[in-house]
Amino acid sequence: MPNKPSTPNRAVRIDDETWEQLGDAAAAAGTDRSAVLRELARWWLRRPGAKMPPRPGRQDS
């Protein structure tokens, strides 16, 4: 039986560089882009108990 996610797939427009950096930072934090975006949306909407997802360390160039 194929994987049946509990949430529907959504499309967002994000430039390639930002998308790649988000994936790298999420992986370094032990999570994935989807989880970070869901947490951020819940926090931004002020859902009860929602917390801002942890940010990655700075990477100064």
Side-chain angles (χ1 to χ4, degrees):
M1 176 172 228
N3 181 19
K4 185 174 180 184
S6 61
T7 56
N9 188 23
R10 305 288 186 207
V12 296
R13 292 181 187 258
I14 300 175
D15 64 88
D16 290 338
E17 181 181 4
T18 300
W19 188 249
E20 290 303 317
Q21 289 175 342
L22 178 60
D24 293 344
T31 188
D32 59 39
R33 291 179 190 104
S34 293
V36 171
L37 293 172
R38 284 191 303 269
E39 286 181 49
L40 184 59
R42 289 182 191 114
W43 171 82
W44 196 76
L45 292 169
R46 300 175 190 265
R47 297 267 174 94
K51 295 180 181 175
M52 172 101 108
R55 295 171 70 184
R58 285 186 74 157
Q59 293 181 349
D60 294 327
S61 302

